[in-house]
Amino acid sequence: MRLVKYDLDAFGTGHVFEREHVYAKKKTKYQSIEIARLDYLGKVLVLDNIIQLSTLDCDRYHETFAHVPMSCLQTPTRVLILGGGDGILAKELLKYDVVIDLVDIDKYVCELSDIHLRDMNDASLTDRRVNVYNLDALEYCSEVEHKYDVIFADITDPHPESPSRSLLSKQAIGLYKSLLTEQGIFVTQVDNVQIAPEHRKNVQRTLRLNFNQVGEFAIAALTLSGLFGFVWASDTTTVKPNKIAVPTNWLNHERSMFCFNLLRLALGDNDE
């Protein structure tokens, strides 16, 4: 075991954990991948030396991401995940009667997660209702003919070397909107709102150019070093706290309300 520094951004900010075991390490044409066990966090997926998820905070991140928007729709039938090759968001969405299209450019994230993260993703990547495409997300979205009730951008943080850096541009958002149903929702993670405050604000500005309604919710997670945000957009559906009708380990109605109030209460006058 040894102490290892993991990054929080592309500028050298980081945090240190004791690494207890390495399950897999691989350098692909897109990024570096590590699956390991750390003190406090448990099993983690690390991309480009940035921790993406952990056993500790897996439920609060993925349940909130999935069920907050899904609880606002009556009968969703098809959803799209951009990124999400770890399969955990797909696991949560399989709790609904939906077909899931998952587009992750790096096939090795999917392959290694299917081997080493099955205790967290319940083998969702091999479920018959999940269609996995190892393609560029914009290429896929330019050619697909399906309409989606929700599009989830479960992508890596768009630092300069990230394969996801172009996926939240004005052009990309317009493309995603064209794939949504009339009541459809687009939702994306926007990183730690204190470490990368401009990312959240930039995404909101871009979404307001395309959608009638834009809002946000958040969680607090050790894995993600504090306040971690999500931004949603829709023309006709308002995303708000609702009863969670599927089984969950962490999320309930009270915590859903907490997620919608967290940023206002935590940031206060500093959120400018």
Side-chain angles (χ1 to χ4, degrees):
M1 294 188 291
R2 67 186 184 95
L3 295 178
V4 179
K5 180 186 176 185
Y6 293 94
D7 298 327
L8 291 172
D9 58 26
F11 306 105
T13 303
H15 48 182
V16 176
F17 291 97
E18 188 174 82
R19 188 163 63 193
E20 299 173 347
H21 182 73
V22 175
Y23 297 95
K25 290 192 76 168
K26 188 172 184 66
K27 177 71 175 179
T28 76
K29 64 183 290 187
Y30 302 108
Q31 60 204 335
S32 63
I33 306 169
E34 175 185 313
I35 299 176
R37 177 170 296 279
L38 307 183
D39 63 333
Y40 298 110
L41 300 187
K43 191 179 287 186
V44 296
L45 171 67
V46 184
L47 301 178
D48 286 338
N49 207 49
I50 298 175
I51 298 172
Q52 306 295 312
L53 58 90
S54 77
T55 305
L56 178 68
D57 292 314
C58 175
D59 290 335
R60 74 177 64 206
Y61 174 88
H62 293 94
E63 289 179 0
T64 302
F65 200 174
H67 305 311
V68 166
M70 290 293 282
S71 68
C72 299
L73 297 172
Q74 292 295 319
T75 54
T77 59
R78 196 175 199 110
V79 299
L80 173 63
I81 302 175
L82 306 176
D86 53 82
I88 304 173
L89 185 60
K91 177 198 76 171
E92 292 300 324
L93 294 169
L94 284 170
K95 296 175 182 178
Y96 303 89
D97 187 16
V98 294
V99 173
I100 301 168
D101 294 329
L102 187 154
V103 184
D104 194 306
I105 196 169
D106 197 335
K107 68 176 184 178
Y108 292 106
V109 173
C110 299
E111 290 179 3
L112 292 174
S113 297
D114 187 47
I115 296 169
H116 299 288
L117 297 181
R118 282 203 168 200
D119 54 331
M120 301 167 76
N121 64 30
D122 290 352
S124 66
L125 295 171
T126 58
D127 190 282
R128 61 180 179 80
R129 290 189 288 143
V130 178
N131 304 306
V132 177
Y133 302 94
N134 295 126
L135 299 169
D136 176 84
L138 296 182
E139 176 186 343
Y140 174 87
C141 290
S142 297
E143 298 177 358
V144 70
E145 297 180 354
H146 300 302
K147 291 286 186 177
Y148 296 99
D149 296 295
V150 187
I151 296 176
F152 296 88
D154 189 17
I155 58 179
T156 54
D157 304 328
H159 60 78
E161 302 304 318
S162 168
S164 67
R165 61 190 178 276
S166 64
L167 298 186
L168 293 174
S169 67
K170 180 180 177 181
Q171 293 75 18
I173 296 299
L175 179 58
Y176 305 150
K177 182 177 179 179
S178 71
L179 299 179
L180 289 172
T181 60
E182 183 178 351
Q183 79 275 14
I185 301 165
F186 174 80
V187 60
T188 182
Q189 65 94 351
V190 289
D191 202 357
N192 184 301
V193 303
Q194 293 170 301
I195 294 171
E198 290 305 311
H199 179 41
R200 165 189 169 226
K201 294 174 182 178
N202 290 339
V203 169
Q204 289 176 324
R205 280 193 289 265
T206 304
L207 289 173
R208 289 191 182 103
L209 296 174
N210 290 272
F211 291 91
N212 294 332
Q213 300 181 84
V214 176
E216 63 185 350
F217 51 97
I219 59 172
L222 173 62
T223 306
L224 307 168
S225 293
L227 299 175
F228 196 88
F230 303 88
V231 172
W232 64 269
S234 179
D235 277 343
T236 60
T237 301
T238 301
V239 176
K240 58 186 179 181
N242 281 306
K243 180 180 179 182
I244 307 302
V246 297
T248 54
N249 294 320
W250 184 83
L251 188 66
N252 55 32
H253 183 56
E254 181 180 16
R255 286 175 171 162
S256 181
M257 291 189 291
F258 166 77
C259 291
F260 278 86
N261 288 312
L262 177 56
L263 293 182
R264 176 180 59 83
L265 294 172
L267 298 179
D269 295 337
N270 294 320
D271 189 24
E272 297 178 356

